[in-house]
């Protein structure tokens, strides 16, 4: 009995090893995108919706006949936020011919950056990865594509400046998770605090941020005019709850992109009416692109997940990521023709000028110098049911952002 | 049969004291060594750089943790922090212009000194309390790295491994990275195998079994506990440097978080406490099984044999992985090394199972 068990175990091991070793024997007829996520560890709050949006948009493109006859294929895998697994996926997908990669995990993306630069394949890093990757000269194959965290922080301050008639003398608290991500906007905030002479104080709560009460009583004593909350996933919900409990007016809370309708429903729809967040893509279903997805993908039963998620904030971010990447692919195919390679796709991405998505995103312009796409964002407010925009798409204090990005990128090229 | 003993006569003391007295073991080791040495010739780039290379580095790190946990019996739940200190020290030293060979040793020294500092807790506390002390090290080191931009490398907390050469070979070359990691793993293996039979190793074992009794027979627990932490952290730091230069090539604090520490402890325990071959098996199991499982299951799903939601698809490998850990530990609580040992013992006398071993 024991022996057969052992034999069975060994057999099973060999079977899995053989499966893993079997290379995907498919001809290179589709454009392959490696869209990897952390479905199981840290980024679970965003991975499912984001990935569903990406896959649905690619399905939509394929249903509509592809681009110039080229169909798209998404390779979707879980890397569990572990760099070594991400690198394995990256190299495996590269052997299968993938030319565009996205990991939605900062540690994994950062480990891939030097390799992508060497292998000349496009690495999309929207809302994660190195913020200084917007400097196209230093990072020719890395595309943040959407407003970086620096631009987001700048956009929020610009909103305060515009609505309050200036930032002078204001007290602004930056309440953040104590990780590199939470600290990231600090250099920009500090520089702006000097320039615009407002008072800035940073409050850090320990990761993962499920317990923040000590920090928020400090924040209350500080009596800030505005509070920036900089976390992700559950810690954002805790921040909003604690802020409200400490008597901070919800309309004075300004959040990074990571705050959704689901989070607000979990907090209590009417608990924090008035909370503001920065957004880089329009949420909701009220848009032609989302309507096309519902029409052609979900009616045909080809959706990549539950239909209820369509139109959620992170779902739309996933769609937007693919809108930009496929636009780059289209321009590249128009100019260079198939088959698409990493170099062609990179050149195509850099040809995007004022990409018009009818308000789904701000107009995106990517150049060989600017890989951030212009850095435009807007502020929206929770009205108890949905996020309502309270400002226009605009880029803010890009001079400060670029100065910081160039300084940081210079350090990277030194190390190379 | 395979490990034939008949006809093997040791006529000199040196023969019996060899690392592998049985010829079959020696042949097996030689074959494995040659296979690994020639791996770039027969293994594709993908498997060389993403399976074999990290496996060797993690095995080396597990071996240095085995020295502490398996041989000296001191628990350490902050070992990723030790590796982080090594990785960051090596990168900063190379950036300051120190040649890699010296920076490599420097990384070990820095890690050893800081590791020793926290290891000093072991002089007073044992067991679970020592776990707490080493956990504190993990969190303190994490905190310092994240909060000191000069260490972490600025706002993005990503530090690129600079261009470096080791004995005229540049790390930009994949082969250099592989062979450096390979020889490092070989060195660690020989080091541990030999340490176990030196007076130092025996002193550590004495401390592990009962530190009070050890001090009665003249083994100073103060000295040997600190030495255990020093040497283990020294090599752990160096393994961290190898990891930074040969595999990640850019370090971020997340790569050395608490979850990595638990993985390292799992490698030691699943492999078999105190065993050299166990370090290799444990590292392979903890590091490679999740990759192989999730690729296998994704392949099944792509082939249409398995239709489940994307979310379940991502979690299925985790469930199987968990079940495998429980299964292996139920089948053999002493770890994978013991499973190998059982098989070896079986073949040692096969087909005369009834005979004395």
């Amino acid at each position: 009995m024991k022996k057969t068990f052992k034999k069975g175990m060994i057999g099973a091991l060999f079977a899995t090893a053989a499966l893993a070793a079997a290379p995907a024997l498919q001809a290179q007829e589709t454009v392959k995108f490696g869209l990897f996520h952390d479905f199981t560890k840290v980024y679970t709050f965003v991975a499912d919706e984001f990935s569903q949006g990406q896959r649905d948009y690619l399905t939509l493109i394929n249903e509509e006949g592809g681009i110039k006859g080229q169909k798209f294929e998404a390779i979707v895998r879980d890397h569990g936020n572990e760099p070594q697994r991400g690198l394995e996926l990256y190299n495996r997908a590269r052997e299968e011919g993938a030319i565009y990669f996205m990991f939605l995990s900062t540690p994994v993306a950062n480990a891939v950056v030097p390799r992508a630069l060497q292998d000349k394949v496009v690495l999309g890093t929207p809302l994660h990865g190195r913020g200084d990757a917007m400097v196209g000269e230093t990072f020719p194959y890395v595309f943040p594509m959407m407003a970086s965290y620096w631009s987001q922080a700048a956009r929020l301050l610009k909103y305060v400046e515009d609505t309050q008639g200036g930032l002078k003398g204001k007290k602004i608290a930056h309440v953040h998770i104590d990780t590199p991500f939470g600290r990231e906007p600090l250099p920009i905030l500090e520089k702006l605090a000097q320039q615009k002479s407002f008072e800035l104080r940073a409050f850090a709560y320990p990761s993962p941020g499920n317990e923040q009460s000590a920090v928020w009583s400090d924040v209350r004593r500080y009596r800030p005019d505005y509070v920036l909350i900089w976390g992700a996933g559950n810690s954002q919900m805790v921040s909003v709850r604690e802020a409200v409990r400490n008597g901070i007016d919800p309309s004075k809370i300004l959040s990074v992109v990571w705050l959704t309708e689901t989070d607000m429903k979990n907090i209590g729809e009417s608990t924090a009416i008035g909370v503001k967040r920065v957004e880089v893509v329009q949420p909701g279903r009220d848009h032609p692109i989302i309507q096309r997805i519902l029409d052609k993908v979900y009616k045909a039963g080809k959706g990549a997940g539950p239909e209820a998620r369509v139109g959620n904030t992170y779902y739309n971010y996933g769609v937007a990521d693919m809108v930009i990447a496929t636009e780059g692919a289209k321009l590249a195919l128009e100019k260079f023709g198939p088959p698409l390679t990493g170099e062609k796709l990179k050149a195509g991405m850099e040809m995007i000028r004022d990409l018009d998505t009818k308000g789904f995103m701000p107009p995106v312009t990517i150049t060989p110098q600017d890989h951030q796409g212009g850095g435009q964002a807007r502020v929206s407010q929770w009205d108890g049911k949905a996020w309502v925009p309270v400002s226009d798409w605009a880029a803010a204090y890009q001079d400060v952002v670029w100065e910081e990005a160039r300084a940081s990128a210079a350090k990277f090229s030194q190390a190379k | 049969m395979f490990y034939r003993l008949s006809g093997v006569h040791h006529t000199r003391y040196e023969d019996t004291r060899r690392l592998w007295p049985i010829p079959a073991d020696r042949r097996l080791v030689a074959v494995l060594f040659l296979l690994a040495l020639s791996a770039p010739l027969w293994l594709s780039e993908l498997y060389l750089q993403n399976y074999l290379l990290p496996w060797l580095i993690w095995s080396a790190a597990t071996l240095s943790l085995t020295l502490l946990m398996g041989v000296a019996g001191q628990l350490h739940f902050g070992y990723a922090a030790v590796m982080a200190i090594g990785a960051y020290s090596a990168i900063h030293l190379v950036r300051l212009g120190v040649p890699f060979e010296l920076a490599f040793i420097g990384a070990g020294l820095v890690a050893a000194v800081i590791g020793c500092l926290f290891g000093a807790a072991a002089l007073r506390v044992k067991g679970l309390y020592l776990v707490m002390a080493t956990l504190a090290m993990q969190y303190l080191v994490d905190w310092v790295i994240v909060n000191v931009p000069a260490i972490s490398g600025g706002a993005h907390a990503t530090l690129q491994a600079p261009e470096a050469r080791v004995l005229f070979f540049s790390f930009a070359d994949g082969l250099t990275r592989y062979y450096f990691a390979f020889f490092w793993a070989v060195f660690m293996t020989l080091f541990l195998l030999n340490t176990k039979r030196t007076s130092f190793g025996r002193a550590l074992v004495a401390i592990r079994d009962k530190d009070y009794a050890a001090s009665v027979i003249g083994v100073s627990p103060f000295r040997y506990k600190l030495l255990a932490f020093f040497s283990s952290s020294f090599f752990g730091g160096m393994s961290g440097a190898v990891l930074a230069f040969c595999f990640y090539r850019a370090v971020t604090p997340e790569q050395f978080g608490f979850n990595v520490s638990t993985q390292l402890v799992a490698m030691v325990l699943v492999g078999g406490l105190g065993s050299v071959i166990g370090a290799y098996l444990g590292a392979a199991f903890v590091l490679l099984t999740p990759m192989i499982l999730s690729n296998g299951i994704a392949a099944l799903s792509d082939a249409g044999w398995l239709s489940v939601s994307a979310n379940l698809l991502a979690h299925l490998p985790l469930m199987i992985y968990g079940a495998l850990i429980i299964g292996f530990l139920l089948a053999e609580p002493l770890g994978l090394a013991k499973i190998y040992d059982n098989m070896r013992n079986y073949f040692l006398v096969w087909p005369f199972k009834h005979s004395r071993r």
Side-chain angles (χ1 to χ4, degrees):
Chain A
M1 166 64 207
K2 204 166 184 191
K3 236 181 276 170
T4 44
F5 170 72
K6 217 176 252 174
K7 266 186 200 153
M9 197 87 116
I10 292 168
L13 266 180
F14 273 111
T16 33
L19 269 175
L25 294 167
Q26 282 162 329
Q28 178 70 22
E29 63 218 349
T30 53
V31 179
K32 284 181 182 146
F33 283 10
L35 306 174
F36 306 120
H37 286 270
D38 169 13
F39 290 112
T40 47
K41 302 274 169 65
V42 179
Y43 290 79
T44 46
F45 66 96
V46 49
D48 284 335
E49 288 186 2
F50 202 102
S51 170
Q52 190 181 337
Q54 289 179 318
R55 280 179 284 166
D56 284 348
Y57 189 73
L58 289 185
T59 312
L60 174 70
I61 295 280
N62 290 341
E63 290 293 298
E64 292 179 344
I67 292 173
K68 299 252 152 204
Q70 299 272 310
K71 299 263 171 115
F72 289 81
E73 183 189 334
I75 306 172
V76 181
R77 300 279 186 273
D78 170 45
H79 56 61
N81 201 32
E82 289 176 17
Q84 76 271 14
R85 289 179 63 185
L87 289 174
E88 190 264 344
L89 289 173
Y90 165 77
N91 282 314
R92 181 177 292 276
R94 205 163 56 79
E95 286 196 348
E96 287 175 22
I99 52 167
Y100 176 87
F101 294 87
M102 208 232 42
F103 292 89
L104 203 69
S105 150
T106 296
V108 178
N110 285 353
V112 172
V113 163
R115 288 162 168 89
L117 294 178
Q118 202 181 339
D119 301 335
K120 298 193 169 29
V121 289
V122 175
L123 173 68
T125 58
L127 309 174
H128 69 281
R130 303 177 66 106
D132 58 358
M134 59 205 252
V135 182
E137 294 99 329
T138 315
F139 299 93
Y141 284 89
V142 186
F143 289 84
M145 300 190 287
M146 299 177 190
S148 68
Y149 291 121
W150 286 338
S151 295
Q152 289 173 31
R155 183 69 189 90
L156 286 169
L157 289 182
K158 181 81 178 136
Y159 170 79
V160 175
E161 189 180 34
D162 291 348
T163 50
Q164 301 295 308
L167 280 163
K168 201 172 163 57
K170 291 269 183 294
K171 284 166 91 175
I172 293 185
H174 177 64
V175 185
H176 65 90
I177 189 163
D178 200 5
T179 62
F181 151 70
R183 314 180 71 84
E184 191 167 340
L186 278 174
I188 298 293
L189 295 174
E190 276 158 10
K191 261 196 193 148
L192 285 172
Q194 262 183 5
Q195 265 184 29
K196 307 275 169 186
S197 51
F198 62 87
E199 201 184 305
L200 171 76
R201 197 152 131 199
F203 297 86
Y205 55 82
S207 174
N210 296 328
E211 169 51 49
Q212 308 174 11
S213 47
V215 173
W216 282 98
S217 52
D218 282 351
V219 177
R220 181 182 58 193
R221 271 197 291 275
Y222 179 60
R223 300 184 166 280
D225 292 311
Y226 278 91
V227 182
L228 297 176
I229 57 171
W230 221 265
N234 188 45
S235 76
Q236 287 288 84
M237 283 188 265
V238 177
S239 286
V240 173
R241 256 192 229 120
E242 287 288 338
V244 171
R245 212 164 58 84
N246 280 283
I248 290 167
D249 177 2
S251 68
K252 305 292 181 199
I253 301 174
L254 306 168
S255 165
V256 64
V257 283
W258 304 124
L259 192 66
T260 64
E261 44 290 294
T262 321
D263 295 333
M264 295 312 287
K265 276 171 196 153
N266 288 345
I267 292 164
E269 282 184 348
S270 52
T271 312
I273 290 178
V275 170
K276 298 189 181 82
R277 70 166 185 192
V278 62
E279 63 186 25
V280 292
V281 176
Q282 174 183 306
R285 295 182 167 193
D286 191 15
H287 190 277
I289 295 178
I290 303 298
Q291 288 303 323
R292 262 160 67 210
I293 290 179
L294 285 170
D295 213 41
K296 292 185 180 153
V297 178
Y298 280 87
K299 282 215 180 118
K302 292 187 174 170
E307 192 175 338
R309 279 200 198 131
V310 178
N312 282 357
T313 302
Y314 298 156
Y315 178 93
N316 286 12
Y317 282 179
V319 172
D321 162 54
M322 283 296 102
V323 169
I324 301 175
T326 50
E327 176 70 13
K330 189 180 114 197
L331 293 172
L333 283 168
E334 275 170 5
K335 178 143 190 205
F336 308 109
L340 212 51
T341 63
E343 278 162 303
K344 288 180 187 172
L345 180 61
K346 176 231 179 210
M349 301 277 288
E350 287 174 346
M351 285 191 283
I352 297 176
R353 295 285 176 280
D354 284 319
L355 173 61
D356 180 20
T357 51
K358 304 194 171 60
F360 189 59
M361 280 181 282
V364 178
T365 298
I366 300 179
T367 64
Q369 289 78 39
D370 176 8
H371 279 190
Q372 189 193 199
Q376 294 196 30
R378 72 179 177 193
V379 180
S380 67
Q381 190 170 25
W382 179 251
D383 71 352
K385 287 267 170 287
W387 292 96
V388 186
V390 291
S391 84
D392 287 330
W393 297 116
Y397 311 124
Q398 286 297 299
D399 47 337
V400 181
V401 171
W402 274 93
E403 192 186 324
E404 187 66 30
R406 289 227 163 80
S408 172
K411 274 192 219 153
F412 177 86
S413 25
Q414 249 176 28
K416 267 205 309 182
Chain B
M1 186 199 59
F2 296 113
Y3 299 89
R4 190 165 51 85
L5 291 171
S6 76
V8 179
H9 304 294
H10 298 299
T11 48
R12 293 177 307 162
Y13 287 118
E14 289 80 38
D15 288 345
T16 45
R17 282 206 304 251
R18 297 170 80 163
L19 275 180
W20 296 286
I22 301 178
D25 281 333
R26 275 204 299 279
R27 268 181 236 131
L28 190 65
V29 168
V31 167
L32 287 176
F33 180 84
L34 288 177
L35 275 179
L37 197 66
S38 61
L41 298 177
W42 55 269
L43 206 59
S44 82
E45 189 72 5
L46 174 71
Y47 287 94
L48 185 72
Q49 295 290 341
N50 293 289
Y51 288 80
L52 197 52
L53 174 71
W55 179 33
L56 286 174
I57 302 175
W58 287 101
S59 299
T62 311
L63 282 171
S64 47
L65 184 57
T66 294
L67 175 67
L68 189 64
M69 280 185 53
V71 181
Q74 307 297 312
L75 297 172
H76 202 314
F77 273 61
Y79 210 66
V82 174
M83 292 174 69
I85 297 170
Y88 277 93
S89 313
I91 288 186
H92 280 295
L93 283 173
V94 173
R95 286 194 155 199
L96 290 175
V98 180
F100 177 79
E101 295 82 357
L102 291 180
F104 187 46
I105 295 169
L109 283 176
V110 176
V113 168
I114 299 176
C116 233
L117 226 60
F118 285 90
L123 300 175
R124 300 302 295 270
V125 293
K126 273 187 243 175
L128 282 177
Y129 302 94
L130 182 58
V131 168
M132 294 308 289
T134 49
L135 260 182
M137 170 178 184
Q138 173 75 48
Y139 283 104
L140 267 174
V141 170
D142 273 0
W143 189 88
V144 169
I145 291 176
V146 171
N147 283 275
V148 182
I151 297 179
S152 71
H156 303 294
T158 307
L159 200 61
Q160 217 64 31
E163 284 287 328
R165 317 182 138 258
V166 55
L167 306 175
F168 315 111
F169 298 106
S170 164
F171 277 116
D173 186 4
L175 281 182
T176 313
R177 297 202 293 273
Y178 172 71
Y179 279 114
F180 188 68
F182 170 62
F183 283 114
W184 177 242
V186 170
F187 170 79
M188 281 308 300
T189 308
L190 292 176
F191 171 79
L192 205 69
L193 281 172
N194 282 304
T195 300
K196 280 167 133 185
R197 21 182 239 169
T198 57
S199 61
F200 172 59
R202 291 192 208 290
L204 293 185
V205 171
I207 300 278
R208 173 189 71 192
D209 290 346
K210 191 80 197 164
D211 53 356
Y212 186 69
S215 80
V216 168
I217 57 166
V219 175
S220 155
F222 176 81
R223 192 165 155 209
Y224 282 100
K225 276 185 182 175
L226 276 189
L227 266 178
F229 270 94
F230 186 90
S231 47
S232 169
S233 305
F234 183 74
F235 292 116
M238 288 166 103
S239 295
V242 178
L243 193 64
F245 275 88
C246 292
F247 186 59
Y248 286 144
R249 300 174 70 198
V251 288
T252 61
E254 291 100 333
Q255 288 166 354
F256 301 99
F258 172 59
N259 53 335
V260 181
S261 283
T262 48
Q263 276 182 345
L264 278 161
V265 172
M267 286 174 189
V268 173
L269 291 182
V270 174
L273 210 56
S275 150
V276 170
I277 188 164
Y280 280 89
L281 295 176
F285 185 81
V286 174
L287 193 73
L288 305 181
T289 314
M291 287 189 211
I292 294 173
L293 277 179
S294 70
N295 280 325
I297 286 185
L300 279 182
S301 157
D302 288 352
W305 293 354
L306 192 75
S307 60
V308 290
S309 77
N311 199 334
L312 181 61
L313 198 64
H315 284 87
L316 213 52
L318 279 184
M319 296 181 200
I320 300 175
Y321 175 57
L324 275 179
I325 293 187
I326 296 174
F328 273 122
L329 287 184
L330 276 181
E332 184 51 72
L334 293 179
L336 296 173
K338 184 67 186 163
I339 294 181
Y340 169 74
D341 198 43
N342 288 344
M343 290 198 276
R344 186 173 171 277
N345 283 341
Y346 177 79
F347 283 118
L348 210 53
V349 291
W350 187 85
F352 307 108
K353 203 177 172 184
H354 53 277
S355 76
R356 199 162 49 86
R357 274 185 195 142

